[in-house]
Amino acid sequence: MEDELRCPTCKQLYANPVLLPCFHALCLGCALDIQTPYSPGSALPGAVNGAGAASTAGHNGLHGSGGGAGGGAAAPGTNPNGPGTRHSSHSSAASTASSNTGSESVTSDQDQSDKVSIFSEADSGVVCCSNTSRPVSYAGTGLLPGVGNVVAPPGAAYCLTCPLCRKLVFFDDGGVRNLPTYRAMEAIVDRFCAREALRCQMCETDPKVASLICEQCEIRYCDACRELTHPARGPLAKHTLVKPRGAAQQRESVCGEHEETLSQYCLSCKAPACGLCIGELRHQAHDVQSINVTCKAQKTELSHNLQQLSEKARSTTEFIQRLKGMSDKVTESCMEFERLVHAQCEALIQAIHDRREYLLEAIRMDKDTKIRILKDQQSNCTGKLQQTTGLIQFCIEALKETDSAAFLQVGSMLINRVTNTDMTWHQEVTNAAPRVSPIVDLTLDDAALARAIDNLNFIQMRAVKDGDERCPAAPMTPTILPSDCSAENNSVTVAWQPPNHSFVEGYVLELDDGSGGEFREVYCGKETICTVDGLHFNSMYNARVKAFNSAGEGEYSELIGLQTAEVAWFTFDPVLSGGAGSGLIFSKNNATVSVEGWEHRVALGSVGFSRGVHYWEFTIDNYTADTDPAFGVARIDVARNKMLGKDEKSFAMYIDRQRSWFQHNSVHERRVEGGITTGSTIGVLLDLERHTLSFLVNEMPQGSVAFRDLYGVFYPAVSINRGVTLTMHTAMDAPKMDYF
């Protein structure tokens, strides 16, 4: 409660509190300190724009708490902030006592009676409401927020900004002394101070009830502290110790105009009044009720509201206790989880140690095997060397034989043995190499384990009740990595980062149709990067990804937009063209094609088109035979061993040295003069916005539109046979055609 009893300006207990029209309170001294003089046209202090301009103004003849000001009236021409007012930190009871000594008191009854004409018609010329007996707090309706500034009422001399709600209050020459005394706050502060006055001021902790107060030292003592800090000897023996005084006596409120007890309450003016006030003209048509009845009704209503608020406070207290209990459970759970994580990490470390011992043992076994092999090889070489050395020595002794017949008896045999030994020596010793390498040709593959350790993390579990089996929660949202995403030609690559603390069984990647339409699934799997081919050119694709596991699916990631190329870059595709058995020969990075046989073979491009305008050209690198190459488009399932245009899957123009024809499904029509030679160019214009196919020869249109109503996916295509070599050129801007 103490916070409610402290002034928002000085942060001390209220001293002589006054009530603002916004129902916030200030110490009278603080109000005097922060009020500022006002003159028309001067800048107003900072306030809430649009707040009601407030003013304490009333009728001549105010009374009671409505007319009583919190301080003495400032005489005309006297500054309310003058030296006669002092901001006291004592209670209002102390202020009242000081008024009896002749000093100015902000709560004296005389001051209240002097201020009954606050902002009256006679002395201020400002009339805010002339038919009430209570102070009128608001001079008018403030302007709406953002429309204009606050307008001051006529006759305003001072203004004050509430430090809490920032509303402006205007006053006449009396300033903040016009504000009514906040009697309820004053009484509560008195009772609070009286209770605190009974506490010992010398106890360091948990002050005890004071039993005595020294009138000279003005310090309260309990019995223990008095014996220690204020013994009755020496100079302290002359001090007078008395029992502390209790709380200040509650004073009865009286009418400031008639000095009568306030016994009635005007419901229209919402102000207390005495019997004489009720008999006056201004209250004749007003609803009047006994002040005790009104007070009891409001106390009953407040008690009822307090009871409801107390129930909420009680439930909040119980909730706080639950939170405290949960804090203990959190601490216990975290400690248990720490032990579990520690045990799991220790198990992993032990597994690594065991694996290390296994690997080291494998190294030692490999070492022993190599050493054994080397020793065996060394032993074999040593035995061979000993045999050879013995043979050499025997042959040397045989050469010393002087008896020719005796030497010839073994000479041939020795020559054969030496020759054979020399040959086997060359094979077994001279060209021999160590059977094992002295270098350990192994390495430890720890990259996967290092990545696993880097990715070692927690998994979010689904919240369950006590006793239920815990299982992973649905995964959180993956994060798309823009730096790793790209678009090339008519394909896009999307990469994403797995969500933290989530168990993921797979991902679902979705793309829209390139025109902001509905999304469709294009990938489902465990990888975190995906390339999608076969998209439309010159289109903006939006991509999103979500993770899933057995518990459910997570939220979609944020969208990323990827723009495909405006024009297509492509080459011949050997696989789509029939593979190695097609007889086609591709060169220059699959941009050039030729064939050895006399049968026509179809070569397809590497991309298919279903939307947009696309143009590509062929140059005739070699044309020596009397043959008819065909150029055009085809579907993916076109017959590859026929001339282009012979089936319903292809649309083509075939041409020779003098003329050309358009052909589809073996129907050829519209012969156009003009042929090709080595060095000629053939242009193919596929306009899928108008769904047409046109051809150009040497940059000139070859007839009108060749084919119309083309819908679906089409691949660039040619068919050639022996004697023709073509090179395809792509990523070209489409020429402007003057026919449709």
Side-chain angles (χ1 to χ4, degrees):
M1 185 185 71
E2 188 173 348
D3 291 339
E4 295 285 337
L5 307 181
R6 293 188 180 276
C7 174
T9 300
C10 64
K11 309 302 181 184
Q12 302 296 323
L13 294 178
Y14 283 108
N16 309 321
V18 292
L19 186 64
L20 297 175
C22 59
F23 294 100
H24 293 133
L26 287 173
C27 298
L28 177 60
C30 295
L32 290 169
D33 291 339
I34 65 176
Q35 75 171 356
T36 57
Y38 172 78
S39 60
S42 63
L44 295 175
V48 174
N49 190 17
S55 171
T56 51
H59 189 270
N60 189 15
L62 301 181
H63 56 79
S65 62
T78 303
N79 184 358
N81 292 327
T85 300
R86 179 174 59 88
H87 184 192
S88 172
S89 60
H90 298 291
S91 67
S92 60
S95 300
T96 304
S98 65
S99 65
N100 297 329
T101 62
S103 62
E104 183 180 10
S105 171
V106 295
T107 59
S108 66
D109 293 338
Q110 182 63 39
D111 289 338
Q112 293 177 8
S113 63
D114 289 343
K115 286 303 295 178
V116 295
S117 60
I118 299 171
F119 243 7
S120 66
E121 295 176 334
D123 58 12
S124 69
V126 178
V127 179
C128 294
C129 186
S130 59
N131 60 351
T132 64
S133 63
R134 67 182 184 89
V136 178
S137 299
Y138 294 95
T141 303
L143 299 178
L144 294 175
V147 176
N149 295 324
V150 176
V151 179
Y158 290 92
C159 64
L160 177 147
T161 300
C162 175
L164 295 179
C165 65
R166 311 305 298 171
K167 288 185 179 179
L168 280 174
V169 187
F170 293 93
F171 308 98
D172 65 353
D173 292 336
V176 297
R177 296 182 184 276
N178 295 344
L179 292 171
T181 301
Y182 198 168
R183 295 184 180 276
M185 178 65 74
E186 191 175 45
I188 294 173
V189 171
D190 282 347
R191 291 195 295 270
F192 179 80
C193 292
R195 288 195 300 268
E196 292 300 314
L198 300 178
R199 297 289 180 181
C200 175
Q201 293 177 285
M202 301 302 293
C203 292
E204 294 183 357
T205 58
D206 191 15
K208 300 177 181 178
V209 176
S211 58
L212 296 170
I213 182 172
C214 178
E215 292 184 347
Q216 287 75 24
C217 301
E218 296 184 355
I219 297 177
R220 299 183 297 275
Y221 301 94
C222 63
D223 292 336
C225 293
R226 183 187 63 80
E227 293 294 334
L228 293 175
T229 61
H230 200 287
R233 57 179 179 272
L236 298 179
K238 298 180 181 180
H239 288 196
T240 303
L241 299 176
V242 297
K243 292 185 176 296
R245 292 189 297 270
Q249 297 296 322
Q250 180 67 37
R251 294 177 294 118
E252 187 178 28
S253 298
V254 296
C255 176
E257 182 178 1
H258 303 105
E259 298 294 333
E260 295 287 338
T261 301
L262 296 172
S263 60
Q264 303 295 323
Y265 188 81
C266 179
L267 298 178
S268 300
C269 301
K270 294 184 178 180
C274 66
L276 297 178
C277 292
I278 297 301
E280 294 180 354
L281 180 63
R282 60 178 179 269
H283 289 295
Q284 285 184 356
H286 292 178
D287 293 332
V288 179
Q289 195 175 41
S290 170
I291 194 171
N292 292 331
V293 173
T294 304
C295 181
K296 182 178 181 181
Q298 291 194 5
K299 285 185 176 181
T300 301
E301 182 180 0
L302 179 60
S303 298
H304 178 69
N305 294 338
L306 284 177
Q307 184 177 3
Q308 295 179 346
L309 187 60
S310 298
E311 291 295 330
K312 295 179 180 179
R314 184 180 300 107
S315 62
T316 303
T317 302
E318 295 175 354
F319 180 67
I320 293 174
Q321 295 300 324
R322 286 177 53 198
L323 293 179
K324 290 181 179 179
M326 289 182 64
S327 299
D328 297 337
K329 289 185 178 180
V330 167
T331 302
E332 180 181 353
S333 176
C334 287
M335 293 178 62
E336 178 62 27
F337 190 49
E338 285 182 8
R339 288 192 292 268
L340 178 61
V341 171
H342 184 269
Q344 289 177 320
C345 291
E346 288 296 327
L348 291 175
I349 294 173
Q350 184 60 42
I352 291 178
H353 287 168
D354 295 342
R355 193 63 181 177
R356 180 187 62 184
E357 294 301 322
Y358 170 80
L359 295 174
L360 293 178
E361 181 63 24
I363 294 174
R364 287 190 288 266
M365 292 176 62
D366 183 66
K367 179 193 69 173
D368 295 341
T369 300
K370 287 185 175 182
I371 291 177
R372 184 172 61 254
I373 293 174
L374 290 175
K375 287 183 177 180
D376 291 343
Q377 188 176 12
Q378 179 184 356
S379 177
N380 293 336
C381 291
T382 301
K384 185 65 175 178
L385 179 61
Q386 291 177 351
Q387 293 177 2
T388 304
T389 302
L391 178 60
I392 292 174
Q393 292 177 351
F394 181 79
C395 291
I396 292 174
E397 292 299 326
L399 289 174
K400 296 179 180 180
E401 180 60 48
T402 57
D403 186 353
S404 298
F407 178 79
L408 292 174
Q409 186 180 11
V410 296
S412 299
M413 180 270 295
L414 293 177
I415 292 173
N416 291 333
R417 285 187 61 188
V418 170
T419 301
N420 292 334
T421 301
D422 181 61
M423 292 177 61
T424 56
W425 183 274
H426 180 73
Q427 295 174 356
E428 297 178 5
V429 180
T430 304
N431 293 335
R435 297 176 183 174
V436 294
S437 172
I439 305 300
V440 178
D441 51 357
L442 298 174
T443 185
L444 183 62
D445 183 14
D446 61 346
L449 180 59
R451 286 194 301 269
I453 293 176
D454 289 339
N455 294 329
L456 183 63
N457 210 327
F458 301 109
I459 292 177
Q460 182 66 47
M461 305 299 288
R462 185 168 54 190
V464 295
K465 297 180 180 179
D466 294 340
D468 293 345
E469 182 181 359
R470 301 182 68 206
C471 57
M476 301 178 69
T477 305
T479 302
I480 291 183
L481 303 174
S483 59
D484 295 335
C485 298
S486 63
E488 182 178 353
N489 220 21
N490 66 332
S491 65
V492 296
T493 299
V494 184
W496 57 90
Q497 181 178 346
N500 293 328
H501 310 315
S502 295
F503 171 68
V504 177
E505 294 182 356
Y507 302 93
V508 174
L509 175 64
E510 296 182 357
L511 292 181
D512 65 4
D513 60 358
S515 301
E518 294 183 358
F519 283 85
R520 60 187 177 89
E521 181 180 320
V522 296
Y523 171 77
C524 181
K526 295 184 178 181
E527 299 297 328
T528 57
I529 187 171
C530 177
T531 298
V532 184
D533 298 318
L535 303 176
H536 298 302
F537 286 89
N538 195 22
S539 300
M540 173 64 75
Y541 284 90
N542 292 313
R544 64 185 185 183
V545 65
K546 64 181 177 180
F548 66 87
N549 59 19
S550 58
E553 297 179 344
E555 297 293 332
Y556 284 105
S557 66
E558 294 184 357
L559 297 180
I560 184 171
L562 298 170
Q563 175 74 42
T564 54
E566 294 185 6
V567 294
W569 177 91
F570 55 93
T571 62
F572 290 112
D573 192 322
V575 177
L576 292 180
S577 302
S582 65
L584 296 169
I585 302 173
F586 297 98
S587 59
K588 297 182 180 178
N589 295 323
N590 296 331
T592 300
V593 63
S594 61
V595 67
E596 290 295 333
W598 291 104
E599 298 294 330
H600 276 268
R601 292 292 182 266
V602 174
L604 295 180
S606 57
V607 297
F609 304 109
S610 60
R611 189 167 63 184
V613 179
H614 307 281
Y615 178 75
W616 61 94
E617 289 183 348
F618 299 93
T619 58
I620 311 301
D621 299 329
N622 182 39
Y623 186 62
T624 59
D626 187 11
T627 184
D628 302 324
F631 307 87
V633 297
R635 301 190 187 277
I636 191 66
D637 54 349
V638 65
R640 281 136 172 102
N641 57 352
K642 296 180 180 179
M643 175 186 283
L644 199 65
K646 286 289 186 178
D647 64 355
E648 63 180 3
K649 304 295 185 180
S650 57
F651 303 80
M653 176 191 74
Y654 69 91
I655 188 170
D656 59 17
R657 295 182 184 274
Q658 297 178 351
R659 62 192 66 84
S660 66
W661 291 265
F662 301 138
Q663 180 173 245
H664 169 61
N665 200 17
S666 296
V667 177
H668 58 95
E669 58 185 359
R670 286 187 287 167
R671 186 180 72 176
V672 180
E673 297 298 326
I676 59 172
T677 61
T678 300
S680 297
T681 61
I682 304 296
V684 181
L685 177 60
L686 178 62
D687 188 345
L688 292 175
E689 294 180 356
R690 298 187 176 92
H691 307 284
T692 61
L693 179 65
S694 305
F695 297 93
L696 296 89
V697 176
N698 295 325
E699 300 181 356
M700 295 298 294
Q702 188 76 354
S704 59
V705 174
F707 301 98
R708 299 181 184 273
D709 298 327
L710 299 180
Y711 292 90
V713 180
F714 298 94
Y715 287 80
V718 296
S719 66
I720 58 174
N721 56 2
R722 187 172 185 176
V724 180
T725 303
L726 305 175
T727 298
M728 184 164 56
H729 307 278
T730 61
M732 304 180 70
D733 293 330
K736 300 297 182 180
M737 307 294 285
D738 57 359
Y739 58 85
F740 299 99

